[in-house]
Amino acid sequence: MRVLVTGGSGYVGSHTVRELAAAGHEVVIYDNLSTGDRRLSEGFEFIEGEIADGARLAPVLDRVDAVMHFAASAYVGESMTDPRKYFRNNVESALKLIDAVLASPVRTFVFSSTCAVYGIPQACPIDEESRKEPINPYGATKLFFEHVLEAYRVTHGLRYVALRYFNAAGAHASGLIGEIHDPETHLIPLALKAALGSAPPLTIFGSDFDTPDGTCIRDYTHVSDLGSAHVLALEHLAEGGASMSVNLGTGRGTSVREIVDVFHALTGIRIPHQYGPRREGDPPCLYANPARANEVLGWVARRNLEDILTSAWGWHQKFESKTA
Ligand code: UFG
């Protein structure tokens, strides 16, 4: 199939386009490079544009079979301080994108959603029917857009899968692409940069959570596994499969402390760190029940925490030496 990938120059988008290509699909990347990095889309057809620009999208939509929509603002913390940016980019502009899709023959849509739609879960693991009460504008915008997709399924015959990722992490096996965010706020890149001495010592946000070691638990899922789930979601829709929202996680929770310890065990290198106060809005524990992804898409996360840390470490050593 030919797939238009909005945000294909971002972290998850760029890994997904490689999974699409490996599965024999053709890719057109559409990105405004506001947070994406042009280097991540090298080797693919690339169009620079805004998702709100229907006139620019129309001719592209005429020559693709499906859309994968990653382009969004995606910092939880920033969404608390600048919510207008999130409602503008993730809702207002995304509505214009979906209007352009509905004006075209394309009806197959894969959406990059998030576990932030759940807010603070009542229990872990989290399945798709868990209560959805986002605690930040980022999660609220993603949940809103899931409602848009469901409404347009009913009224316009749109067919979609919304993939709710837990914590995307790791780097591509080629060593050519990995996680680049500016500013960087995510745990694993900050920890590895601290290990390389290119960032200050890691601050572990909170040591008094109600978890076995007092630090937060998350479900770190390899970004290439997330990419392969998008391919399976596309193929599920192409085969006439039902529209739905699906969790993407390993089903295993890992604490911040464990990340530091496993990295040390793997490399012999200690991540310089200190404990600090909790970060506002951090739920103590988030990990997925990925049963639906397995049953419906035939997906399972194939890479474990060691694979995540090893691939990310390889990438960061190379990337930091290039940018130093
Ligand atoms: N953390 C630290 N120190 C840091 C950075 C993070 O201790 O310097 C901790 C956080 O408190 C959290 C864990 O590491 O417990 C992971 O934090 P990240 O910032 O890497 O990721 P989040 O869990 O906050 O964010 C992820 C996704 C978002 C999603 C969110 C839902 O990246 O897209 O989960 O809560 F919205």
Side-chain angles (χ1 to χ4, degrees), residues 49-303:
E50 300 292 334
I51 55 168
D53 188 347
R56 191 159 179 76
L57 282 164
V60 195
L61 285 165
D62 275 341
R63 60 184 174 93
V64 298
D65 307 297
V67 171
M68 285 194 183
H69 175 42
F70 295 90
S73 296
Y75 290 112
V76 171
E78 184 187 54
S79 81
M80 311 275 277
T81 54
D82 189 5
R84 292 180 74 186
K85 177 174 176 183
Y86 283 70
F87 291 112
R88 199 181 312 118
N89 292 343
N90 299 359
V91 177
E92 190 181 345
S93 296
L95 285 172
K96 291 184 178 148
L97 166 69
I98 204 86
D99 281 346
V101 170
L102 294 182
S104 82
V106 174
R107 287 293 178 273
T108 303
F109 199 93
V110 178
F111 175 54
S112 169
S113 190
T114 170
C115 65
V117 300
Y118 296 111
I120 298 178
Q122 288 161 305
C124 271
I126 303 170
D127 67 30
E128 290 81 356
E129 302 316 317
S130 301
R131 186 183 65 187
K132 284 164 276 298
E133 280 184 13
I135 54 166
N136 49 62
Y138 170 65
T141 61
K142 290 285 182 173
L143 183 58
F144 178 88
F145 200 71
E146 287 196 22
H147 290 309
V148 170
L149 296 176
E150 177 57 19
Y152 293 178
R153 177 188 71 78
V154 174
T155 57
H156 291 77
L158 189 72
R159 304 184 52 256
Y160 73 89
V161 174
L163 296 169
R164 296 177 183 151
Y165 327 144
F166 285 66
N167 289 55
H172 195 258
S174 64
L176 296 175
I177 59 167
E179 191 163 6
I180 311 176
H181 292 116
D182 186 16
E184 188 53 78
T185 61
H186 294 96
L187 173 67
I188 292 178
L190 286 175
L192 303 192
K193 281 163 173 265
L196 284 167
S198 59
L202 176 71
T203 300
I204 296 179
F205 297 143
S207 54
D208 58 351
F209 287 97
D210 185 16
T211 59
D213 66 18
T215 67
C216 279
I217 291 175
R218 294 288 180 273
D219 187 342
Y220 297 92
T221 309
H222 197 287
V223 63
S224 294
D225 284 333
L226 297 181
S228 67
H230 288 73
V231 178
L232 294 170
L234 180 73
E235 291 168 353
H236 162 82
L237 291 171
E239 287 157 13
S243 297
M244 65 181 75
S245 298
V246 178
N247 282 344
L248 292 183
T250 65
R252 182 176 180 277
T254 302
S255 74
V256 177
R257 178 77 245 170
E258 277 179 84
I259 296 278
V260 170
D261 292 344
V262 171
F263 182 77
H264 179 232
L266 280 173
T267 62
I269 299 167
R270 284 190 195 283
I271 294 168
H273 66 275
Q274 66 209 10
Y275 286 93
R278 293 181 181 196
R279 183 172 65 178
E280 201 186 334
D282 266 343
C285 181
L286 291 172
Y287 60 92
N289 176 345
R292 183 181 290 178
N294 186 235
E295 283 155 21
V296 177
L297 304 180
W299 179 84
V300 66
R302 289 193 291 118
R303 298 161 182 89

